[in-house]
Amino acid sequence: MDFEFSPIKFDNTYNIRDSVYSILRGAILDGRLKAGQHLVERDIARQLKVSRTPVREAIQKLENEKLVTHVQRKGVFVAGFTKADAEEIGVIRIALESLCCSIAASKITEKELVNLENINQKMLQEHLQGNLTKAVFLNKKFHESIYKSARSPHLYYFVSTLRDYISPFTQLSYTKEGRIQEVFEEHADIIQKLRLHDAQGAHDAAKNHIEKSGKTFVRMAY
């Protein structure tokens, strides 16, 4: 592997397997481990300073998530996303995030709306200053703030888990010239519908935003 992990420390209450899984999963989803990269169990265990058992168990969980694939007689490799994967994730994201917005429309507070406006403005400013990583982080924060304002714990869990998968999509689509301004305006439209407590309008604004983001990524990546 080109990327190397730093050793980790555990206290007695921490599940080692879950920690190793979280570290590997995060490295795949944020692009530190690239598609096609070979994952060698013993090397990962050595770098993290853990036994091979939790690494093996973590890799099995990642294989169940389709984030890694086992190639017979060759080993385990980071799977990456196909065009079909990206399109499927996009459809699911539209359904969940549109639902979040429609529910949030009846529950969101003025304080939460002002917070969304501030995040959206900061996101645009960071991008204009060339801070793409910060802009992507603020975009994620914007969406997570809406999830929380829906006050639906189970929905929050499902949509937050899904968002982990789309970080690479967002990173790439934001490099398209003019896309960040479009995102800013699409976010502003969502905020306006939420402020009006217009459930259908918020649903449709979110759907429009996510469809455009998905199409931008697919055009650029494939």
Side-chain angles (χ1 to χ4, degrees):
M1 297 185 301
D2 295 326
F3 172 75
E4 290 199 4
F5 296 98
S6 299
I8 50 178
K9 297 180 180 179
F10 305 94
D11 58 36
N12 292 331
T13 64
Y14 211 97
N15 186 301
I16 296 177
R17 183 199 64 186
D18 289 347
S19 183
V20 172
Y21 162 75
S22 179
I23 290 168
L24 292 176
R25 186 175 188 270
I28 292 170
L29 292 175
D30 69 17
R32 285 173 291 159
L33 289 175
K34 309 294 184 183
Q37 199 161 338
H38 190 196
L39 300 184
V40 182
E41 187 182 294
R42 66 175 179 276
D43 291 345
I44 296 171
R46 173 181 52 79
Q47 292 168 20
L48 294 177
K49 296 192 181 302
V50 299
S51 71
R52 292 175 64 170
T53 299
V55 175
R56 185 180 307 115
E57 292 173 343
I59 287 175
Q60 287 173 347
K61 287 186 68 176
L62 293 169
E63 191 171 2
N64 291 338
E65 280 192 70
K66 310 301 182 185
L67 291 176
V68 304
T69 183
H70 185 270
V71 179
Q72 193 171 10
R73 292 190 293 275
K74 291 186 177 181
V76 176
F77 298 85
V78 177
F81 292 102
T82 65
K83 182 179 180 180
D85 290 332
E87 290 174 339
E88 181 183 9
I89 289 170
V91 169
I92 298 169
R93 185 187 172 201
I94 287 170
L96 290 179
E97 294 214 28
S98 298
L99 177 59
C100 265
C101 283
S102 64
I103 295 174
S106 65
K107 300 179 179 181
I108 197 165
T109 66
E110 180 61 27
K111 182 178 180 180
E112 289 170 329
L113 287 164
V114 171
N115 182 53
L116 287 175
E117 289 173 334
N118 290 337
I119 294 171
N120 197 33
Q121 188 63 50
K122 288 177 183 176
M123 180 198 71
L124 180 61
Q125 291 172 350
E126 291 292 345
H127 184 81
L128 292 175
Q129 292 170 8
N131 301 326
L132 177 60
T133 300
K134 182 66 173 178
V136 171
F137 170 78
L138 288 167
N139 175 74
K140 181 178 180 180
K141 187 175 180 181
F142 178 89
H143 287 272
E144 287 182 344
S145 296
I146 294 177
Y147 308 159
K148 290 177 181 177
S149 68
R151 293 170 174 79
S152 176
H154 295 296
L155 180 57
Y156 176 82
Y157 169 77
F158 289 125
V159 75
S160 295
T161 301
L162 180 66
R163 271 204 71 80
D164 290 342
Y165 284 84
I166 67 168
S167 293
F169 305 172
T170 305
Q171 190 89 13
L172 177 61
S173 62
Y174 272 26
T175 62
K176 179 181 180 292
E177 184 176 357
R179 178 56 191 154
I180 189 65
Q181 182 64 43
E182 293 175 348
V183 170
F184 173 80
E185 293 169 1
E186 290 158 18
H187 282 180
D189 187 32
I190 293 171
I191 295 170
Q192 180 185 30
K193 299 302 191 299
L194 290 171
R195 176 164 272 120
L196 294 171
H197 303 294
D198 179 356
Q200 187 60 52
H203 174 282
D204 294 345
K207 181 175 183 290
N208 174 63
H209 168 52
I210 298 160
E211 281 182 340
K212 286 185 176 179
S213 295
K215 288 177 180 177
T216 298
F217 172 75
V218 168
R219 283 197 299 268
M220 295 181 71
Y222 304 103

